[in-house]
Amino acid sequence: MNMPLDDREGFAAFLLRLRGRGGAVPKALIAAFEATPRRGFLNGQYHSIAWSDGMLPIECGEAIEGADLQAAVIASLAIEPGNRVLEIGTGSGYTAAVMSRLAARIVSVDRYKTLAEQARQRFEALGIGNVIVRQADGSNGLANEGPFDRIVAWAAFDNLPRFLLDQLSSGGIVIAPIGPEEGEQVLAKLTKVGSRFEREDIGTVRLQPILRSVAAVI
């Protein structure tokens, strides 16, 4: 992909950080990030730091997670080509766009109409046709649309979201932050085994708590 020079430099620095953390970075994941123009999901003032590890503001008082965290989460999801993925928290749409290159179908929900509409426009402009975006309350998943093979939440639950077990296919994976509204949360990877979860904690994060209901105005 033809990136501007400073964008290529930012992307190269991002790759170095990933490799510096040890462990192999899947080639398909790197290709998906490289093929998804990150700048197009950010306001112009943040283009020069698009590939940074810090969170950057987007509309509706929300933020896009740092590129490193996004890569770690998507890698841990271990998405396979035929997978159906539920994303709770569309935000800018960037992570759904990356995952669209790895999965068969993505359903992404956000409580903000503005974010859902902007993401939809970005997908259309990029010719991404396997992502469905909805303004919806994702705090309980999407019970009537499962099962999903992978579920990822970009907002924190105060307790283990056991209700998502029913929305997962056998062997499916949920990645979600679990913990208090204030302070750090544990990023948990939950794999469905029979009628229970196997849990593996893969890091700590500070993300906003999941909010119930959809936003009335924005």
Side-chain angles (χ1 to χ4, degrees), residues 24-72:
V25 184
K27 286 182 180 176
L29 181 65
I30 293 172
F33 270 91
E34 190 172 14
T36 308
R38 193 170 175 85
R39 288 182 171 203
F41 293 80
L42 291 165
N43 292 328
Q45 70 202 89
Y46 301 114
H47 283 182
S48 64
I49 52 172
W51 291 102
S52 73
D53 192 18
M55 296 184 83
L56 298 171
I58 58 173
E59 286 75 14
C60 303
E62 295 293 299
I64 182 173
E65 302 81 14
D68 301 36
L69 174 60
Q70 291 176 333

Short mmCIF file of all heavy atoms in Angstrom, two decimals, residues 24-72:
data_model
loop_
_atom_site.label_atom_id
_atom_site.label_comp_id
_atom_site.label_asym_id
_atom_site.label_seq_id
_atom_site.Cartn_x
_atom_site.Cartn_y
_atom_site.Cartn_z
N ALA A 24 5.84 -14.28 17.86
CA ALA A 24 5.67 -14.03 16.44
C ALA A 24 4.40 -13.21 16.21
O ALA A 24 3.38 -13.44 16.85
CB ALA A 24 5.58 -15.34 15.68
N VAL A 25 4.48 -12.23 15.31
CA VAL A 25 3.30 -11.46 14.93
C VAL A 25 2.78 -12.08 13.63
O VAL A 25 3.52 -12.13 12.63
CB VAL A 25 3.65 -9.97 14.71
CG1 VAL A 25 2.41 -9.17 14.40
CG2 VAL A 25 4.38 -9.40 15.92
N PRO A 26 1.55 -12.58 13.61
CA PRO A 26 1.05 -13.25 12.40
C PRO A 26 1.14 -12.35 11.16
O PRO A 26 0.77 -11.17 11.21
CB PRO A 26 -0.41 -13.56 12.74
CG PRO A 26 -0.47 -13.55 14.23
CD PRO A 26 0.55 -12.56 14.68
N LYS A 27 1.64 -12.92 10.06
CA LYS A 27 1.80 -12.14 8.83
C LYS A 27 0.47 -11.60 8.33
O LYS A 27 0.38 -10.48 7.82
CB LYS A 27 2.45 -13.00 7.74
CG LYS A 27 3.93 -13.24 7.97
CD LYS A 27 4.54 -14.06 6.85
CE LYS A 27 6.02 -14.29 7.11
NZ LYS A 27 6.62 -15.17 6.09
N ALA A 28 -0.59 -12.40 8.48
CA ALA A 28 -1.91 -11.95 8.01
C ALA A 28 -2.37 -10.72 8.78
O ALA A 28 -3.02 -9.83 8.23
CB ALA A 28 -2.93 -13.08 8.15
N LEU A 29 -2.03 -10.67 10.07
CA LEU A 29 -2.41 -9.52 10.90
C LEU A 29 -1.65 -8.27 10.47
O LEU A 29 -2.23 -7.19 10.32
CB LEU A 29 -2.15 -9.83 12.37
CG LEU A 29 -2.51 -8.73 13.36
CD1 LEU A 29 -4.01 -8.47 13.36
CD2 LEU A 29 -2.05 -9.08 14.77
N ILE A 30 -0.35 -8.42 10.24
CA ILE A 30 0.45 -7.28 9.77
C ILE A 30 -0.09 -6.77 8.44
O ILE A 30 -0.25 -5.56 8.23
CB ILE A 30 1.94 -7.68 9.63
CG1 ILE A 30 2.53 -7.96 11.02
CG2 ILE A 30 2.73 -6.59 8.92
CD1 ILE A 30 3.92 -8.54 10.98
N ALA A 31 -0.41 -7.69 7.54
CA ALA A 31 -0.95 -7.30 6.23
C ALA A 31 -2.29 -6.58 6.37
O ALA A 31 -2.56 -5.61 5.65
CB ALA A 31 -1.11 -8.54 5.34
N ALA A 32 -3.12 -7.03 7.32
CA ALA A 32 -4.42 -6.40 7.53
C ALA A 32 -4.26 -4.97 8.05
O ALA A 32 -4.97 -4.05 7.62
CB ALA A 32 -5.26 -7.23 8.50
N PHE A 33 -3.32 -4.77 8.97
CA PHE A 33 -3.05 -3.41 9.47
C PHE A 33 -2.49 -2.53 8.36
O PHE A 33 -2.89 -1.37 8.20
CB PHE A 33 -2.07 -3.46 10.65
CG PHE A 33 -2.74 -3.59 11.99
CD1 PHE A 33 -3.00 -4.83 12.54
CD2 PHE A 33 -3.13 -2.47 12.70
CE1 PHE A 33 -3.62 -4.96 13.77
CE2 PHE A 33 -3.76 -2.57 13.93
CZ PHE A 33 -4.00 -3.82 14.47
N GLU A 34 -1.57 -3.09 7.60
CA GLU A 34 -0.93 -2.29 6.53
C GLU A 34 -1.94 -1.89 5.46
O GLU A 34 -1.84 -0.81 4.88
CB GLU A 34 0.21 -3.10 5.92
CG GLU A 34 1.09 -2.29 4.98
CD GLU A 34 2.32 -3.05 4.52
OE1 GLU A 34 2.38 -4.28 4.71
OE2 GLU A 34 3.21 -2.39 3.97
N ALA A 35 -2.91 -2.74 5.22
CA ALA A 35 -3.89 -2.48 4.16
C ALA A 35 -5.03 -1.56 4.61
O ALA A 35 -5.86 -1.16 3.79
CB ALA A 35 -4.49 -3.81 3.68
N THR A 36 -5.05 -1.21 5.89
CA THR A 36 -6.15 -0.39 6.41
C THR A 36 -5.62 0.99 6.77
O THR A 36 -4.87 1.14 7.74
CB THR A 36 -6.76 -1.07 7.67
OG1 THR A 36 -7.08 -2.43 7.35
CG2 THR A 36 -8.03 -0.36 8.10
N PRO A 37 -5.97 2.02 6.00
CA PRO A 37 -5.37 3.36 6.18
C PRO A 37 -5.81 4.00 7.50
O PRO A 37 -6.89 4.59 7.60
CB PRO A 37 -5.89 4.14 4.98
CG PRO A 37 -7.14 3.44 4.56
CD PRO A 37 -6.95 1.99 4.91
N ARG A 38 -4.97 3.89 8.50
CA ARG A 38 -5.31 4.34 9.86
C ARG A 38 -5.67 5.83 9.90
O ARG A 38 -6.56 6.24 10.65
CB ARG A 38 -4.14 4.02 10.80
CG ARG A 38 -4.47 4.15 12.27
CD ARG A 38 -3.34 3.57 13.11
NE ARG A 38 -3.57 3.78 14.55
CZ ARG A 38 -4.29 2.97 15.32
NH1 ARG A 38 -4.89 1.92 14.79
NH2 ARG A 38 -4.44 3.22 16.61
N ARG A 39 -4.98 6.62 9.12
CA ARG A 39 -5.26 8.07 9.12
C ARG A 39 -6.71 8.38 8.75
O ARG A 39 -7.26 9.37 9.21
CB ARG A 39 -4.34 8.77 8.12
CG ARG A 39 -2.91 8.84 8.56
CD ARG A 39 -2.08 9.58 7.57
NE ARG A 39 -0.75 9.85 8.08
CZ ARG A 39 0.03 10.82 7.63
NH1 ARG A 39 -0.39 11.62 6.68
NH2 ARG A 39 1.23 11.00 8.15
N GLY A 40 -7.27 7.54 7.90
CA GLY A 40 -8.64 7.79 7.45
C GLY A 40 -9.68 7.63 8.55
O GLY A 40 -10.85 7.96 8.35
N PHE A 41 -9.26 7.13 9.71
CA PHE A 41 -10.16 6.92 10.84
C PHE A 41 -9.92 7.94 11.95
O PHE A 41 -10.49 7.83 13.03
CB PHE A 41 -9.99 5.50 11.38
CG PHE A 41 -10.44 4.44 10.40
CD1 PHE A 41 -9.62 4.04 9.36
CD2 PHE A 41 -11.70 3.86 10.51
CE1 PHE A 41 -10.03 3.07 8.45
CE2 PHE A 41 -12.12 2.89 9.60
CZ PHE A 41 -11.29 2.50 8.57
N LEU A 42 -9.07 8.93 11.66
CA LEU A 42 -8.70 9.93 12.67
C LEU A 42 -8.86 11.34 12.12
O LEU A 42 -8.76 11.56 10.92
CB LEU A 42 -7.23 9.73 13.07
CG LEU A 42 -6.89 8.47 13.86
CD1 LEU A 42 -5.38 8.27 13.85
CD2 LEU A 42 -7.41 8.56 15.28
N ASN A 43 -9.07 12.29 13.03
CA ASN A 43 -9.07 13.69 12.63
C ASN A 43 -7.66 14.09 12.20
O ASN A 43 -6.67 13.55 12.70
CB ASN A 43 -9.51 14.58 13.80
CG ASN A 43 -10.98 14.37 14.13
OD1 ASN A 43 -11.79 14.09 13.25
ND2 ASN A 43 -11.33 14.50 15.40
N GLY A 44 -7.59 15.05 11.27
CA GLY A 44 -6.33 15.45 10.66
C GLY A 44 -5.23 15.81 11.64
O GLY A 44 -4.05 15.53 11.41
N GLN A 45 -5.60 16.42 12.76
CA GLN A 45 -4.58 16.87 13.72
C GLN A 45 -3.81 15.71 14.35
O GLN A 45 -2.74 15.91 14.92
CB GLN A 45 -5.23 17.73 14.81
CG GLN A 45 -6.12 16.96 15.77
CD GLN A 45 -7.13 17.85 16.46
OE1 GLN A 45 -8.23 18.06 15.99
NE2 GLN A 45 -6.74 18.37 17.61
N TYR A 46 -4.35 14.49 14.23
CA TYR A 46 -3.69 13.33 14.84
C TYR A 46 -2.99 12.44 13.81
O TYR A 46 -2.44 11.40 14.18
CB TYR A 46 -4.71 12.50 15.63
CG TYR A 46 -5.39 13.29 16.72
CD1 TYR A 46 -6.75 13.57 16.66
CD2 TYR A 46 -4.66 13.79 17.80
CE1 TYR A 46 -7.37 14.32 17.64
CE2 TYR A 46 -5.28 14.54 18.78
CZ TYR A 46 -6.63 14.81 18.71
OH TYR A 46 -7.24 15.56 19.67
N HIS A 47 -2.98 12.84 12.55
CA HIS A 47 -2.40 11.98 11.51
C HIS A 47 -0.93 11.66 11.78
O HIS A 47 -0.48 10.53 11.55
CB HIS A 47 -2.55 12.63 10.14
CG HIS A 47 -3.94 12.51 9.59
ND1 HIS A 47 -4.29 12.98 8.34
CD2 HIS A 47 -5.07 11.95 10.11
CE1 HIS A 47 -5.59 12.72 8.13
NE2 HIS A 47 -6.07 12.11 9.19
N SER A 48 -0.18 12.63 12.28
CA SER A 48 1.26 12.42 12.45
C SER A 48 1.56 11.43 13.58
O SER A 48 2.67 10.89 13.65
CB SER A 48 1.97 13.75 12.73
OG SER A 48 1.51 14.30 13.96
N ILE A 49 0.58 11.19 14.47
CA ILE A 49 0.81 10.24 15.56
C ILE A 49 -0.19 9.07 15.48
O ILE A 49 -0.50 8.42 16.48
CB ILE A 49 0.74 10.93 16.95
CG1 ILE A 49 -0.56 11.75 17.10
CG2 ILE A 49 1.96 11.80 17.18
CD1 ILE A 49 -0.77 12.29 18.51
N ALA A 50 -0.66 8.81 14.26
CA ALA A 50 -1.68 7.77 14.07
C ALA A 50 -1.25 6.41 14.61
O ALA A 50 -2.06 5.66 15.14
CB ALA A 50 -2.04 7.66 12.59
N TRP A 51 0.05 6.10 14.47
CA TRP A 51 0.53 4.77 14.85
C TRP A 51 1.09 4.72 16.26
O TRP A 51 1.78 3.78 16.63
CB TRP A 51 1.59 4.28 13.84
CG TRP A 51 0.99 3.98 12.50
CD1 TRP A 51 1.04 4.76 11.38
CD2 TRP A 51 0.23 2.82 12.15
NE1 TRP A 51 0.36 4.17 10.36
CE2 TRP A 51 -0.15 2.97 10.80
CE3 TRP A 51 -0.17 1.68 12.84
CZ2 TRP A 51 -0.91 2.02 10.12
CZ3 TRP A 51 -0.93 0.73 12.17
CH2 TRP A 51 -1.29 0.91 10.83
N SER A 52 0.78 5.73 17.06
CA SER A 52 1.31 5.77 18.43
C SER A 52 0.63 4.71 19.30
O SER A 52 -0.40 4.14 18.94
CB SER A 52 1.10 7.16 19.04
OG SER A 52 -0.28 7.34 19.34
N ASP A 53 1.21 4.51 20.47
CA ASP A 53 0.68 3.53 21.41
C ASP A 53 -0.37 4.16 22.34
O ASP A 53 -0.95 3.48 23.18
CB ASP A 53 1.83 2.94 22.24
CG ASP A 53 1.40 1.72 23.04
OD1 ASP A 53 0.35 1.13 22.70
OD2 ASP A 53 2.09 1.36 24.00
N GLY A 54 -0.60 5.46 22.21
CA GLY A 54 -1.55 6.14 23.09
C GLY A 54 -2.94 6.22 22.49
O GLY A 54 -3.13 6.11 21.28
N MET A 55 -3.94 6.42 23.36
CA MET A 55 -5.31 6.59 22.88
C MET A 55 -5.46 7.98 22.30
O MET A 55 -4.86 8.94 22.78
CB MET A 55 -6.29 6.37 24.03
CG MET A 55 -6.25 4.95 24.57
SD MET A 55 -7.48 4.62 25.86
CE MET A 55 -8.93 4.27 24.87
N LEU A 56 -6.27 8.09 21.23
CA LEU A 56 -6.47 9.36 20.56
C LEU A 56 -7.97 9.68 20.52
O LEU A 56 -8.78 8.79 20.29
CB LEU A 56 -5.91 9.31 19.13
CG LEU A 56 -4.40 9.07 19.03
CD1 LEU A 56 -4.00 8.82 17.58
CD2 LEU A 56 -3.62 10.24 19.61
N PRO A 57 -8.34 10.96 20.71
CA PRO A 57 -9.76 11.32 20.75
C PRO A 57 -10.44 11.14 19.40
O PRO A 57 -9.85 11.40 18.34
CB PRO A 57 -9.74 12.81 21.14
CG PRO A 57 -8.37 13.07 21.65
CD PRO A 57 -7.47 12.10 20.97
N ILE A 58 -11.70 10.69 19.45
CA ILE A 58 -12.58 10.69 18.27
C ILE A 58 -13.88 11.37 18.68
O ILE A 58 -13.98 11.91 19.79
CB ILE A 58 -12.83 9.26 17.73
CG1 ILE A 58 -13.45 8.36 18.81
CG2 ILE A 58 -11.54 8.64 17.20
CD1 ILE A 58 -13.88 6.98 18.30
N GLU A 59 -14.88 11.36 17.81
CA GLU A 59 -16.13 12.04 18.10
C GLU A 59 -16.86 11.42 19.30
O GLU A 59 -16.55 10.32 19.73
CB GLU A 59 -17.04 12.00 16.87
CG GLU A 59 -16.63 12.94 15.74
CD GLU A 59 -15.42 12.46 14.96
OE1 GLU A 59 -15.03 11.29 15.09
OE2 GLU A 59 -14.84 13.27 14.23
N CYS A 60 -17.86 12.15 19.79
CA CYS A 60 -18.77 11.68 20.86
C CYS A 60 -18.06 11.45 22.19
O CYS A 60 -18.52 10.67 23.03
CB CYS A 60 -19.51 10.41 20.44
SG CYS A 60 -20.45 10.58 18.92
N GLY A 61 -16.90 12.12 22.37
CA GLY A 61 -16.18 11.99 23.63
C GLY A 61 -15.50 10.64 23.80
O GLY A 61 -15.07 10.28 24.90
N GLU A 62 -15.38 9.90 22.72
CA GLU A 62 -14.77 8.57 22.77
C GLU A 62 -13.31 8.66 22.32
O GLU A 62 -12.80 9.74 22.03
CB GLU A 62 -15.55 7.61 21.87
CG GLU A 62 -16.97 7.35 22.34
CD GLU A 62 -17.03 6.59 23.67
OE1 GLU A 62 -16.52 5.46 23.73
OE2 GLU A 62 -17.56 7.16 24.64
N ALA A 63 -12.65 7.52 22.26
CA ALA A 63 -11.23 7.49 21.87
C ALA A 63 -10.95 6.22 21.10
O ALA A 63 -11.63 5.21 21.27
CB ALA A 63 -10.33 7.58 23.10
N ILE A 64 -9.94 6.29 20.24
CA ILE A 64 -9.44 5.10 19.55
C ILE A 64 -8.27 4.56 20.36
O ILE A 64 -7.41 5.34 20.82
CB ILE A 64 -9.03 5.43 18.09
CG1 ILE A 64 -8.56 4.18 17.35
CG2 ILE A 64 -7.99 6.52 18.01
CD1 ILE A 64 -8.32 4.40 15.85
N GLU A 65 -8.25 3.25 20.60
CA GLU A 65 -7.17 2.65 21.38
C GLU A 65 -5.86 2.76 20.62
O GLU A 65 -5.83 2.86 19.40
CB GLU A 65 -7.47 1.16 21.67
CG GLU A 65 -8.77 0.89 22.40
CD GLU A 65 -9.97 0.91 21.46
OE1 GLU A 65 -9.77 0.85 20.22
OE2 GLU A 65 -11.09 1.00 21.97
N GLY A 66 -4.76 2.68 21.36
CA GLY A 66 -3.45 2.68 20.72
C GLY A 66 -3.30 1.50 19.78
O GLY A 66 -3.89 0.43 19.99
N ALA A 67 -2.49 1.67 18.75
CA ALA A 67 -2.31 0.62 17.74
C ALA A 67 -1.78 -0.68 18.36
O ALA A 67 -2.17 -1.78 17.95
CB ALA A 67 -1.35 1.11 16.65
N ASP A 68 -0.91 -0.56 19.37
CA ASP A 68 -0.31 -1.75 19.98
C ASP A 68 -1.36 -2.61 20.69
O ASP A 68 -1.36 -3.83 20.57
CB ASP A 68 0.78 -1.36 20.97
CG ASP A 68 1.89 -0.53 20.34
OD1 ASP A 68 1.59 0.28 19.44
OD2 ASP A 68 3.05 -0.68 20.74
N LEU A 69 -2.25 -1.94 21.43
CA LEU A 69 -3.31 -2.68 22.13
C LEU A 69 -4.25 -3.33 21.12
O LEU A 69 -4.63 -4.51 21.28
CB LEU A 69 -4.10 -1.74 23.05
CG LEU A 69 -5.33 -2.37 23.74
CD1 LEU A 69 -4.93 -3.55 24.61
CD2 LEU A 69 -6.08 -1.32 24.55
N GLN A 70 -4.61 -2.59 20.09
CA GLN A 70 -5.49 -3.16 19.06
C GLN A 70 -4.87 -4.41 18.44
O GLN A 70 -5.54 -5.43 18.26
CB GLN A 70 -5.78 -2.12 17.99
CG GLN A 70 -6.65 -0.97 18.49
CD GLN A 70 -6.85 0.11 17.44
OE1 GLN A 70 -6.01 0.30 16.57
NE2 GLN A 70 -7.96 0.81 17.52
N ALA A 71 -3.58 -4.33 18.14
CA ALA A 71 -2.90 -5.47 17.52
C ALA A 71 -2.86 -6.66 18.48
O ALA A 71 -3.09 -7.81 18.07
CB ALA A 71 -1.48 -5.08 17.11
N ALA A 72 -2.57 -6.40 19.76
CA ALA A 72 -2.49 -7.48 20.75
C ALA A 72 -3.84 -8.18 20.90
O ALA A 72 -3.92 -9.41 20.97
CB ALA A 72 -2.02 -6.93 22.09
#
